[in-house]
Amino acid sequence: MKALAATGDPTLVRFAEVPEPTAAADAAVIRVEAFSVNRGEILAMTGAYGTPTAPGTVMGQDVVGRVVAAAADGSGPAIGTRVVGHAEGGGWAERVAIPTAALAELPDTLTATTAAALPLAGLTALRLLRHVEVPAGKKALITGASGGVGHYLVELATAADISVTAVAASPERGARLAELGAAVVHDVADADGPFDVIFESVGGDVFAAALARIAPGGTVLWFGQASLQPIRLSFFEYLTVTPFTLRHFPHWVANTTDAEDLRMLVELTATGRLHPELGRVADWAETASVLTDLNNRRIRGNAILTIAA
């Protein structure tokens, strides 16, 4: 079958013929109709996390399509069912095997391109909010808010009556966040704190500037490092500050399955309570150029690639 394989060079991906997916007993095979690409996948391919992804590897986590082979153990959806899935890789291909514990059925009212934007970014935002108790009326600061996770996080938090300040690099990127109910600033230095909770995903100097605005007893959830710059902490700077909590947040650690949370995201979207931001929709033949634009921050929100039947 055809897939997009990592090249190990600046082109990032190219089409290749690869074997059909092998499904475990608890996995279904999906014929892919659309997938989302994430900046984290680019960082993995380029070696930002350490060793670059091996050439020939097929990336891809966010997938929408139809079941063409149901799970052998009888779990999950039947053949022909439209689903959204959070794959463990291999999603940038014509077909992919995904555990049924990471699949959710889709209603006919939800398009493939919209649903493809849900898995990684949506799961991250949903679980971030569950990770801390932020009562209605409390204040939250979200850095890097104009990305895929940020849009979901802003909308979910404001819906919970949390007072959100979102940091966006430009007025254009911040306009959508303001529509979702956030107070938008273009630099952390302009954020009117202190904040009961800070969702931080940029790192470097932004982390330090955000942390300086934490309320006494507040919580910082650290879930990314988009700047690729490590954070800096000095104990002595906070020696006289009322203790705060700094929590490392990996999105894959949860008390719920991906399937459970995907079903919630699907319901929220289908009922108009969550609005994925589709910054770019293109045929999968354009994946390499879309990855370049995403990496260079020329795409706001989610980037979606489609595969013709």
Side-chain angles (χ1 to χ4, degrees), residues 7 34 64 103 116 133 201 206 226 233 253 275 303:
T7 61
V64 167
L103 290 174
E133 292 184 8
S201 63
V206 170
L233 285 174
V253 178
H275 301 83

Side-chain angles (χ1 to χ4, degrees), residues 78-268:
I79 291 175
T81 306
R82 293 181 70 231
V83 293
V84 57
H86 190 210
E88 297 172 350
W92 300 353
E94 292 180 307
R95 288 169 291 281
V96 62
I98 303 178
T100 56
L103 290 174
E105 295 187 24
L106 290 176
D108 292 337
T109 55
L110 209 56
T111 66
T113 51
T114 296
L118 292 175
L120 180 60
L123 290 171
T124 301
L126 191 65
R127 290 168 179 177
L128 275 166
L129 278 177
R130 287 188 187 139
H131 221 61
V132 290
E133 292 184 8
V134 189
K138 295 295 186 178
K139 297 177 65 174
L141 176 67
I142 303 174
T143 66
S146 60
V149 174
H151 278 90
Y152 289 132
L153 192 53
V154 167
E155 187 164 19
L156 291 170
T158 55
D161 293 325
I162 297 168
S163 177
V164 175
T165 296
V167 183
S170 67
E172 178 186 8
R173 286 181 171 269
R176 175 60 176 158
L177 301 174
E179 292 175 3
L180 295 174
V184 179
V185 298
H186 306 304
D187 191 294
V188 177
D190 299 324
D192 184 19
F195 296 95
D196 303 288
V197 62
I198 295 172
F199 299 97
E200 214 296 293
S201 63
V202 179
D205 292 338
V206 170
F207 182 98
L211 187 57
R213 286 155 178 76
I214 192 69
T219 298
V220 179
L221 270 87
W222 179 31
F223 69 101
Q225 195 163 290
S227 69
L228 304 184
Q229 299 300 312
I231 66 171
R232 178 185 59 81
L233 285 174
S234 170
F235 177 81
F236 299 108
E237 288 183 25
Y238 300 97
L239 189 61
T240 60
V241 176
T242 300
F244 62 87
T245 300
L246 172 60
R247 301 180 70 174
H248 169 236
F249 173 84
H251 77 273
W252 57 88
V253 178
N255 293 324
T256 51
T257 66
D258 286 354
E260 292 172 304
D261 287 343
L262 284 172
R263 283 194 289 270
M264 177 174 290
L265 291 167
V266 167
E267 180 182 359
L268 288 170

Side-chain angles (χ1 to χ4, degrees), residues 43-71:
L43 297 179
M45 286 190 286
T46 57
Y49 298 150
T51 304
T53 302
T57 301
V58 178
M59 308 289 286
Q61 302 174 79
D62 298 355
V63 172
V64 167
R66 289 188 183 272
V67 176
V68 293

